[in-house]
Amino acid sequence: QVQLVESGGALVQAGGSLRLSCAASGSFFSIDVMGWYRQAPGKQRELVAAITSGGSTNYADSVKGRFTISRDNAKNTVYLQMNSLKPEDTAVYSCNAQAVYSTLYVKGNFWGQGTQVTVSS
């Protein structure tokens, strides 16, 4: 019911910046929460940042002060502005959406395909 397409992943140097985008499309009534997760080689997938439809946000401690999540509800798009990138930020970043997709108020979690972010030292 929801398709998520990420873009913006790239190879960047340490200290650089990158902006990820995730656009949602498909058949759904609303998207309550959108967020970004990442999984580095040999690591568990972790929540990076999330944002509600009302604009409330939360961040992983490791990215606070460096990353900013934002959302354009009209475009059903979520962004992740990443500044002061570090090699340890290298990971596959995946977009997640919690959406209502039926008249019975059925909710589901949907995932994008992921986009690779590589930070060189």
Side-chain angles (χ1 to χ4, degrees):
Q1 296 261 242
V2 180
Q3 293 80 48
L4 303 174
V5 179
E6 303 108 327
S7 62
L11 171 64
V12 298
Q13 295 181 359
S17 297
L18 208 58
R19 190 192 195 207
L20 305 183
S21 299
C22 174
S25 63
S27 180
F28 53 87
F29 294 103
S30 63
I31 299 177
D32 299 322
V33 183
M34 300 187 76
W36 290 94
Y37 290 75
R38 69 185 181 187
Q39 187 167 23
K43 303 285 187 178
Q44 295 288 330
R45 185 175 65 186
E46 64 175 341
L47 174 67
V48 178
I51 185 169
T52 69
S53 60
S56 297
T57 61
N58 67 278
Y59 298 89
D61 289 339
S62 60
V63 306
K64 288 181 179 177
R66 299 189 297 119
F67 291 8
T68 302
I69 189 170
S70 61
R71 177 172 176 170
D72 187 334
N73 290 329
K75 297 180 180 179
N76 290 318
T77 300
V78 65
Y79 307 92
L80 186 67
Q81 179 66 46
M82 304 184 293
N83 298 326
S84 301
L85 283 163
K86 305 174 181 179
E88 50 262 44
D89 294 318
T90 295
V92 174
Y93 285 71
S94 299
C95 180
N96 170 263
Q98 298 177 23
V100 176
Y101 60 90
S102 83
T103 57
L104 298 177
Y105 205 74
V106 175
K107 301 181 71 174
N109 281 295
F110 302 88
W111 294 90
Q113 80 287 347
T115 184
Q116 177 70 48
V117 172
T118 302
V119 184
S120 64
S121 58

mmCIF file of all heavy atoms in Angstrom, residues 43-88:
data_model
loop_
_atom_site.group_PDB
_atom_site.id
_atom_site.type_symbol
_atom_site.label_atom_id
_atom_site.label_comp_id
_atom_site.label_asym_id
_atom_site.label_seq_id
_atom_site.Cartn_x
_atom_site.Cartn_y
_atom_site.Cartn_z
ATOM 1 N N LYS A 43 26.896 -4.664 11.988
ATOM 2 C CA LYS A 43 26.129 -4.010 13.044
ATOM 3 C C LYS A 43 24.644 -4.325 12.914
ATOM 4 O O LYS A 43 24.157 -4.702 11.849
ATOM 5 C CB LYS A 43 26.326 -2.495 12.989
ATOM 6 C CG LYS A 43 27.767 -2.027 13.093
ATOM 7 C CD LYS A 43 28.296 -2.140 14.497
ATOM 8 C CE LYS A 43 29.671 -1.506 14.610
ATOM 9 N NZ LYS A 43 30.189 -1.555 15.991
ATOM 10 N N GLN A 44 23.937 -4.153 14.012
ATOM 11 C CA GLN A 44 22.489 -4.272 13.989
ATOM 12 C C GLN A 44 21.872 -3.013 13.395
ATOM 13 O O GLN A 44 22.437 -1.920 13.478
ATOM 14 C CB GLN A 44 21.951 -4.488 15.405
ATOM 15 C CG GLN A 44 22.374 -5.788 16.059
ATOM 16 C CD GLN A 44 21.682 -6.986 15.450
ATOM 17 O OE1 GLN A 44 20.551 -6.894 14.975
ATOM 18 N NE2 GLN A 44 22.359 -8.119 15.466
ATOM 19 N N ARG A 45 20.708 -3.177 12.801
ATOM 20 C CA ARG A 45 19.992 -2.021 12.297
ATOM 21 C C ARG A 45 19.541 -1.155 13.468
ATOM 22 O O ARG A 45 19.060 -1.660 14.478
ATOM 23 C CB ARG A 45 18.781 -2.461 11.469
ATOM 24 C CG ARG A 45 18.044 -1.314 10.800
ATOM 25 C CD ARG A 45 16.932 -1.822 9.898
ATOM 26 N NE ARG A 45 15.890 -2.508 10.655
ATOM 27 C CZ ARG A 45 14.862 -3.137 10.097
ATOM 28 N NH1 ARG A 45 14.757 -3.180 8.777
ATOM 29 N NH2 ARG A 45 13.962 -3.725 10.860
ATOM 30 N N GLU A 46 19.695 0.135 13.323
ATOM 31 C CA GLU A 46 19.340 1.045 14.392
ATOM 32 C C GLU A 46 18.520 2.217 13.868
ATOM 33 O O GLU A 46 18.653 2.626 12.712
ATOM 34 C CB GLU A 46 20.594 1.578 15.091
ATOM 35 C CG GLU A 46 21.491 2.422 14.197
ATOM 36 C CD GLU A 46 22.659 3.043 14.944
ATOM 37 O OE1 GLU A 46 22.606 3.131 16.183
ATOM 38 O OE2 GLU A 46 23.634 3.458 14.269
ATOM 39 N N LEU A 47 17.697 2.733 14.735
ATOM 40 C CA LEU A 47 16.932 3.929 14.409
ATOM 41 C C LEU A 47 17.855 5.130 14.447
ATOM 42 O O LEU A 47 18.571 5.353 15.423
ATOM 43 C CB LEU A 47 15.787 4.117 15.401
ATOM 44 C CG LEU A 47 14.982 5.413 15.260
ATOM 45 C CD1 LEU A 47 14.200 5.424 13.950
ATOM 46 C CD2 LEU A 47 14.038 5.598 16.444
ATOM 47 N N VAL A 48 17.819 5.913 13.392
ATOM 48 C CA VAL A 48 18.606 7.133 13.314
ATOM 49 C C VAL A 48 17.772 8.327 13.752
ATOM 50 O O VAL A 48 18.189 9.127 14.592
ATOM 51 C CB VAL A 48 19.150 7.356 11.895
ATOM 52 C CG1 VAL A 48 19.927 8.668 11.813
ATOM 53 C CG2 VAL A 48 20.022 6.186 11.473
ATOM 54 N N ALA A 49 16.611 8.466 13.167
ATOM 55 C CA ALA A 49 15.730 9.586 13.467
ATOM 56 C C ALA A 49 14.327 9.255 13.019
ATOM 57 O O ALA A 49 14.125 8.471 12.097
ATOM 58 C CB ALA A 49 16.222 10.869 12.783
ATOM 59 N N ALA A 50 13.351 9.857 13.670
ATOM 60 C CA ALA A 50 11.958 9.673 13.309
ATOM 61 C C ALA A 50 11.205 10.971 13.506
ATOM 62 O O ALA A 50 11.592 11.809 14.326
ATOM 63 C CB ALA A 50 11.322 8.558 14.144
ATOM 64 N N ILE A 51 10.126 11.097 12.769
ATOM 65 C CA ILE A 51 9.318 12.305 12.863
ATOM 66 C C ILE A 51 7.856 11.939 12.678
ATOM 67 O O ILE A 51 7.501 11.136 11.818
ATOM 68 C CB ILE A 51 9.782 13.364 11.827
ATOM 69 C CG1 ILE A 51 9.012 14.671 12.005
ATOM 70 C CG2 ILE A 51 9.651 12.825 10.403
ATOM 71 C CD1 ILE A 51 9.612 15.830 11.207
ATOM 72 N N THR A 52 6.999 12.520 13.486
ATOM 73 C CA THR A 52 5.569 12.288 13.382
ATOM 74 C C THR A 52 4.949 13.275 12.408
ATOM 75 O O THR A 52 5.585 14.239 11.973
ATOM 76 C CB THR A 52 4.883 12.421 14.743
ATOM 77 O OG1 THR A 52 4.906 13.795 15.157
ATOM 78 C CG2 THR A 52 5.571 11.566 15.793
ATOM 79 N N SER A 53 3.696 13.039 12.077
ATOM 80 C CA SER A 53 2.997 13.953 11.189
ATOM 81 C C SER A 53 2.856 15.336 11.803
ATOM 82 O O SER A 53 2.723 16.325 11.079
ATOM 83 C CB SER A 53 1.616 13.399 10.835
ATOM 84 O OG SER A 53 0.822 13.217 11.996
ATOM 85 N N GLY A 54 2.892 15.402 13.123
ATOM 86 C CA GLY A 54 2.812 16.674 13.810
ATOM 87 C C GLY A 54 4.132 17.384 13.986
ATOM 88 O O GLY A 54 4.164 18.511 14.488
ATOM 89 N N GLY A 55 5.217 16.733 13.595
ATOM 90 C CA GLY A 55 6.514 17.371 13.644
ATOM 91 C C GLY A 55 7.385 17.007 14.826
ATOM 92 O O GLY A 55 8.502 17.526 14.940
ATOM 93 N N SER A 56 6.922 16.135 15.699
ATOM 94 C CA SER A 56 7.752 15.697 16.808
ATOM 95 C C SER A 56 8.870 14.802 16.295
ATOM 96 O O SER A 56 8.650 13.949 15.433
ATOM 97 C CB SER A 56 6.924 14.945 17.844
ATOM 98 O OG SER A 56 5.942 15.782 18.412
ATOM 99 N N THR A 57 10.054 14.975 16.839
ATOM 100 C CA THR A 57 11.220 14.241 16.363
ATOM 101 C C THR A 57 11.952 13.561 17.498
ATOM 102 O O THR A 57 11.837 13.949 18.663
ATOM 103 C CB THR A 57 12.207 15.166 15.640
ATOM 104 O OG1 THR A 57 12.666 16.175 16.561
ATOM 105 C CG2 THR A 57 11.546 15.851 14.454
ATOM 106 N N ASN A 58 12.704 12.540 17.142
ATOM 107 C CA ASN A 58 13.650 11.958 18.066
ATOM 108 C C ASN A 58 14.839 11.438 17.265
ATOM 109 O O ASN A 58 14.701 11.079 16.098
ATOM 110 C CB ASN A 58 13.030 10.859 18.937
ATOM 111 C CG ASN A 58 12.634 9.628 18.157
ATOM 112 O OD1 ASN A 58 11.574 9.576 17.540
ATOM 113 N ND2 ASN A 58 13.496 8.603 18.190
ATOM 114 N N TYR A 59 15.985 11.407 17.922
ATOM 115 C CA TYR A 59 17.231 11.053 17.266
ATOM 116 C C TYR A 59 18.027 10.080 18.102
ATOM 117 O O TYR A 59 17.947 10.074 19.335
ATOM 118 C CB TYR A 59 18.106 12.293 17.048
ATOM 119 C CG TYR A 59 17.511 13.351 16.157
ATOM 120 C CD1 TYR A 59 16.707 14.357 16.677
ATOM 121 C CD2 TYR A 59 17.774 13.352 14.795
ATOM 122 C CE1 TYR A 59 16.173 15.335 15.862
ATOM 123 C CE2 TYR A 59 17.237 14.327 13.967
ATOM 124 C CZ TYR A 59 16.438 15.318 14.505
ATOM 125 O OH TYR A 59 15.910 16.292 13.687
ATOM 126 N N ALA A 60 18.807 9.289 17.423
ATOM 127 C CA ALA A 60 19.799 8.497 18.115
ATOM 128 C C ALA A 60 20.841 9.432 18.718
ATOM 129 O O ALA A 60 21.169 10.471 18.143
ATOM 130 C CB ALA A 60 20.466 7.519 17.157
ATOM 131 N N ASP A 61 21.357 9.061 19.873
ATOM 132 C CA ASP A 61 22.336 9.912 20.536
ATOM 133 C C ASP A 61 23.559 10.179 19.656
ATOM 134 O O ASP A 61 24.151 11.261 19.714
ATOM 135 C CB ASP A 61 22.782 9.279 21.855
ATOM 136 C CG ASP A 61 21.705 9.306 22.913
ATOM 137 O OD1 ASP A 61 20.775 10.127 22.806
ATOM 138 O OD2 ASP A 61 21.798 8.501 23.863
ATOM 139 N N SER A 62 23.920 9.222 18.849
ATOM 140 C CA SER A 62 25.121 9.342 18.041
ATOM 141 C C SER A 62 25.014 10.387 16.938
ATOM 142 O O SER A 62 26.039 10.800 16.386
ATOM 143 C CB SER A 62 25.475 7.988 17.422
ATOM 144 O OG SER A 62 24.420 7.515 16.599
ATOM 145 N N VAL A 63 23.799 10.813 16.615
ATOM 146 C CA VAL A 63 23.630 11.768 15.522
ATOM 147 C C VAL A 63 23.052 13.094 15.971
ATOM 148 O O VAL A 63 22.937 14.021 15.152
ATOM 149 C CB VAL A 63 22.759 11.185 14.392
ATOM 150 C CG1 VAL A 63 23.312 9.847 13.925
ATOM 151 C CG2 VAL A 63 21.307 11.045 14.839
ATOM 152 N N LYS A 64 22.715 13.220 17.232
ATOM 153 C CA LYS A 64 22.153 14.473 17.720
ATOM 154 C C LYS A 64 23.134 15.618 17.508
ATOM 155 O O LYS A 64 24.317 15.496 17.785
ATOM 156 C CB LYS A 64 21.800 14.356 19.202
ATOM 157 C CG LYS A 64 20.584 13.498 19.486
ATOM 158 C CD LYS A 64 20.275 13.432 20.978
ATOM 159 C CE LYS A 64 19.044 12.589 21.255
ATOM 160 N NZ LYS A 64 18.774 12.463 22.702
ATOM 161 N N GLY A 65 22.608 16.709 17.013
ATOM 162 C CA GLY A 65 23.437 17.863 16.735
ATOM 163 C C GLY A 65 24.065 17.857 15.366
ATOM 164 O O GLY A 65 24.584 18.888 14.926
ATOM 165 N N ARG A 66 24.046 16.717 14.701
ATOM 166 C CA ARG A 66 24.630 16.614 13.370
ATOM 167 C C ARG A 66 23.583 16.342 12.292
ATOM 168 O O ARG A 66 23.702 16.844 11.177
ATOM 169 C CB ARG A 66 25.681 15.508 13.328
ATOM 170 C CG ARG A 66 26.852 15.728 14.273
ATOM 171 C CD ARG A 66 27.966 14.716 14.021
ATOM 172 N NE ARG A 66 27.525 13.341 14.275
ATOM 173 C CZ ARG A 66 27.495 12.376 13.361
ATOM 174 N NH1 ARG A 66 27.896 12.632 12.115
ATOM 175 N NH2 ARG A 66 27.086 11.159 13.681
ATOM 176 N N PHE A 67 22.594 15.541 12.625
ATOM 177 C CA PHE A 67 21.557 15.180 11.664
ATOM 178 C C PHE A 67 20.259 15.895 12.008
ATOM 179 O O PHE A 67 19.944 16.124 13.177
ATOM 180 C CB PHE A 67 21.290 13.674 11.687
ATOM 181 C CG PHE A 67 22.405 12.817 11.157
ATOM 182 C CD1 PHE A 67 23.643 13.346 10.838
ATOM 183 C CD2 PHE A 67 22.196 11.458 10.977
ATOM 184 C CE1 PHE A 67 24.668 12.546 10.355
ATOM 185 C CE2 PHE A 67 23.202 10.644 10.491
ATOM 186 C CZ PHE A 67 24.441 11.186 10.180
ATOM 187 N N THR A 68 19.496 16.207 10.988
ATOM 188 C CA THR A 68 18.192 16.817 11.165
ATOM 189 C C THR A 68 17.176 16.124 10.271
ATOM 190 O O THR A 68 17.387 16.016 9.064
ATOM 191 C CB THR A 68 18.216 18.318 10.836
ATOM 192 O OG1 THR A 68 19.178 18.986 11.655
ATOM 193 C CG2 THR A 68 16.843 18.937 11.081
ATOM 194 N N ILE A 69 16.095 15.668 10.873
ATOM 195 C CA ILE A 69 15.028 15.056 10.099
ATOM 196 C C ILE A 69 13.916 16.076 9.911
ATOM 197 O O ILE A 69 13.609 16.863 10.810
ATOM 198 C CB ILE A 69 14.497 13.775 10.778
ATOM 199 C CG1 ILE A 69 13.545 13.021 9.844
ATOM 200 C CG2 ILE A 69 13.835 14.083 12.111
ATOM 201 C CD1 ILE A 69 13.174 11.624 10.343
ATOM 202 N N SER A 70 13.340 16.073 8.748
ATOM 203 C CA SER A 70 12.233 16.971 8.455
ATOM 204 C C SER A 70 11.237 16.257 7.557
ATOM 205 O O SER A 70 11.531 15.208 6.989
ATOM 206 C CB SER A 70 12.726 18.273 7.807
ATOM 207 O OG SER A 70 13.386 18.008 6.585
ATOM 208 N N ARG A 71 10.076 16.849 7.432
ATOM 209 C CA ARG A 71 9.006 16.186 6.709
ATOM 210 C C ARG A 71 8.146 17.206 5.998
ATOM 211 O O ARG A 71 7.809 18.255 6.543
ATOM 212 C CB ARG A 71 8.168 15.365 7.706
ATOM 213 C CG ARG A 71 6.973 14.658 7.138
ATOM 214 C CD ARG A 71 6.369 13.750 8.206
ATOM 215 N NE ARG A 71 5.157 13.105 7.758
ATOM 216 C CZ ARG A 71 4.530 12.133 8.402
ATOM 217 N NH1 ARG A 71 5.025 11.682 9.547
ATOM 218 N NH2 ARG A 71 3.418 11.611 7.911
ATOM 219 N N ASP A 72 7.796 16.886 4.782
ATOM 220 C CA ASP A 72 6.872 17.683 4.000
ATOM 221 C C ASP A 72 5.624 16.831 3.806
ATOM 222 O O ASP A 72 5.591 15.949 2.952
ATOM 223 C CB ASP A 72 7.484 18.078 2.657
ATOM 224 C CG ASP A 72 6.617 19.043 1.874
ATOM 225 O OD1 ASP A 72 5.389 19.051 2.069
ATOM 226 O OD2 ASP A 72 7.170 19.802 1.059
ATOM 227 N N ASN A 73 4.612 17.088 4.610
ATOM 228 C CA ASN A 73 3.412 16.262 4.566
ATOM 229 C C ASN A 73 2.673 16.377 3.232
ATOM 230 O O ASN A 73 2.069 15.411 2.768
ATOM 231 C CB ASN A 73 2.474 16.632 5.711
ATOM 232 C CG ASN A 73 3.004 16.230 7.064
ATOM 233 O OD1 ASN A 73 3.718 15.236 7.196
ATOM 234 N ND2 ASN A 73 2.658 17.000 8.090
ATOM 235 N N ALA A 74 2.709 17.546 2.637
ATOM 236 C CA ALA A 74 2.036 17.737 1.363
ATOM 237 C C ALA A 74 2.656 16.876 0.273
ATOM 238 O O ALA A 74 1.965 16.431 -0.648
ATOM 239 C CB ALA A 74 2.067 19.207 0.957
ATOM 240 N N LYS A 75 3.947 16.646 0.369
ATOM 241 C CA LYS A 75 4.657 15.843 -0.620
ATOM 242 C C LYS A 75 4.877 14.408 -0.164
ATOM 243 O O LYS A 75 5.452 13.614 -0.915
ATOM 244 C CB LYS A 75 6.001 16.481 -0.947
ATOM 245 C CG LYS A 75 5.906 17.857 -1.579
ATOM 246 C CD LYS A 75 7.297 18.411 -1.876
ATOM 247 C CE LYS A 75 7.216 19.788 -2.516
ATOM 248 N NZ LYS A 75 8.565 20.350 -2.794
ATOM 249 N N ASN A 76 4.442 14.092 1.049
ATOM 250 C CA ASN A 76 4.677 12.762 1.620
ATOM 251 C C ASN A 76 6.145 12.371 1.524
ATOM 252 O O ASN A 76 6.489 11.259 1.121
ATOM 253 C CB ASN A 76 3.791 11.716 0.939
ATOM 254 C CG ASN A 76 2.326 11.872 1.284
ATOM 255 O OD1 ASN A 76 1.971 12.121 2.435
ATOM 256 N ND2 ASN A 76 1.461 11.728 0.287
ATOM 257 N N THR A 77 6.968 13.295 1.902
ATOM 258 C CA THR A 77 8.402 13.107 1.781
ATOM 259 C C THR A 77 9.090 13.434 3.105
ATOM 260 O O THR A 77 8.733 14.406 3.771
ATOM 261 C CB THR A 77 8.979 13.988 0.665
ATOM 262 O OG1 THR A 77 8.359 13.645 -0.578
ATOM 263 C CG2 THR A 77 10.482 13.799 0.532
ATOM 264 N N VAL A 78 10.056 12.624 3.453
ATOM 265 C CA VAL A 78 10.858 12.865 4.636
ATOM 266 C C VAL A 78 12.305 13.039 4.198
ATOM 267 O O VAL A 78 12.758 12.409 3.238
ATOM 268 C CB VAL A 78 10.713 11.718 5.661
ATOM 269 C CG1 VAL A 78 11.261 10.407 5.109
ATOM 270 C CG2 VAL A 78 11.385 12.082 6.980
ATOM 271 N N TYR A 79 13.011 13.902 4.910
ATOM 272 C CA TYR A 79 14.392 14.209 4.584
ATOM 273 C C TYR A 79 15.283 13.954 5.791
ATOM 274 O O TYR A 79 14.847 14.037 6.941
ATOM 275 C CB TYR A 79 14.544 15.672 4.166
ATOM 276 C CG TYR A 79 13.608 16.104 3.065
ATOM 277 C CD1 TYR A 79 12.370 16.673 3.354
ATOM 278 C CD2 TYR A 79 13.952 15.943 1.731
ATOM 279 C CE1 TYR A 79 11.510 17.070 2.352
ATOM 280 C CE2 TYR A 79 13.098 16.334 0.717
ATOM 281 C CZ TYR A 79 11.876 16.900 1.027
ATOM 282 O OH TYR A 79 11.024 17.293 0.028
ATOM 283 N N LEU A 80 16.511 13.672 5.503
ATOM 284 C CA LEU A 80 17.515 13.565 6.545
ATOM 285 C C LEU A 80 18.727 14.365 6.109
ATOM 286 O O LEU A 80 19.442 13.962 5.192
ATOM 287 C CB LEU A 80 17.904 12.112 6.810
ATOM 288 C CG LEU A 80 18.852 11.889 7.987
ATOM 289 C CD1 LEU A 80 18.157 12.241 9.312
ATOM 290 C CD2 LEU A 80 19.347 10.449 8.029
ATOM 291 N N GLN A 81 18.919 15.499 6.757
ATOM 292 C CA GLN A 81 20.093 16.319 6.505
ATOM 293 C C GLN A 81 21.206 15.847 7.417
ATOM 294 O O GLN A 81 21.062 15.872 8.644
ATOM 295 C CB GLN A 81 19.783 17.792 6.754
ATOM 296 C CG GLN A 81 20.964 18.729 6.546
ATOM 297 C CD GLN A 81 21.409 18.789 5.107
ATOM 298 O OE1 GLN A 81 20.583 18.919 4.206
ATOM 299 N NE2 GLN A 81 22.712 18.676 4.875
ATOM 300 N N MET A 82 22.302 15.433 6.835
ATOM 301 C CA MET A 82 23.417 14.888 7.581
ATOM 302 C C MET A 82 24.625 15.794 7.408
ATOM 303 O O MET A 82 25.123 15.969 6.298
ATOM 304 C CB MET A 82 23.741 13.467 7.115
ATOM 305 C CG MET A 82 22.552 12.516 7.195
ATOM 306 S SD MET A 82 22.979 10.812 6.751
ATOM 307 C CE MET A 82 23.340 11.021 5.008
ATOM 308 N N ASN A 83 25.065 16.363 8.505
ATOM 309 C CA ASN A 83 26.226 17.238 8.504
ATOM 310 C C ASN A 83 27.336 16.632 9.350
ATOM 311 O O ASN A 83 27.103 15.755 10.171
ATOM 312 C CB ASN A 83 25.860 18.618 9.050
ATOM 313 C CG ASN A 83 24.820 19.332 8.222
ATOM 314 O OD1 ASN A 83 24.780 19.203 7.004
ATOM 315 N ND2 ASN A 83 23.968 20.117 8.886
ATOM 316 N N SER A 84 28.529 17.146 9.150
ATOM 317 C CA SER A 84 29.693 16.679 9.906
ATOM 318 C C SER A 84 29.789 15.162 9.900
ATOM 319 O O SER A 84 29.964 14.519 10.940
ATOM 320 C CB SER A 84 29.634 17.207 11.342
ATOM 321 O OG SER A 84 29.596 18.621 11.374
ATOM 322 N N LEU A 85 29.684 14.600 8.738
ATOM 323 C CA LEU A 85 29.668 13.149 8.613
ATOM 324 C C LEU A 85 30.987 12.533 9.059
ATOM 325 O O LEU A 85 32.065 13.096 8.843
ATOM 326 C CB LEU A 85 29.356 12.751 7.179
ATOM 327 C CG LEU A 85 27.879 12.880 6.789
ATOM 328 C CD1 LEU A 85 27.710 12.877 5.280
ATOM 329 C CD2 LEU A 85 27.067 11.757 7.422
ATOM 330 N N LYS A 86 30.868 11.375 9.667
ATOM 331 C CA LYS A 86 32.000 10.624 10.168
ATOM 332 C C LYS A 86 32.050 9.264 9.490
ATOM 333 O O LYS A 86 31.024 8.753 9.045
ATOM 334 C CB LYS A 86 31.885 10.434 11.681
ATOM 335 C CG LYS A 86 31.727 11.712 12.480
ATOM 336 C CD LYS A 86 31.471 11.405 13.950
ATOM 337 C CE LYS A 86 31.295 12.674 14.764
ATOM 338 N NZ LYS A 86 31.025 12.375 16.192
ATOM 339 N N PRO A 87 33.217 8.662 9.430
ATOM 340 C CA PRO A 87 33.295 7.317 8.842
ATOM 341 C C PRO A 87 32.341 6.319 9.483
ATOM 342 O O PRO A 87 31.829 5.430 8.793
ATOM 343 C CB PRO A 87 34.753 6.926 9.063
ATOM 344 C CG PRO A 87 35.480 8.222 9.056
ATOM 345 C CD PRO A 87 34.553 9.191 9.749
ATOM 346 N N GLU A 88 32.097 6.462 10.772
ATOM 347 C CA GLU A 88 31.193 5.553 11.446
ATOM 348 C C GLU A 88 29.736 5.736 11.048
ATOM 349 O O GLU A 88 28.878 4.948 11.443
ATOM 350 C CB GLU A 88 31.332 5.663 12.972
ATOM 351 C CG GLU A 88 31.256 7.084 13.500
ATOM 352 C CD GLU A 88 32.627 7.695 13.746
ATOM 353 O OE1 GLU A 88 33.509 7.526 12.888
ATOM 354 O OE2 GLU A 88 32.813 8.331 14.810
#
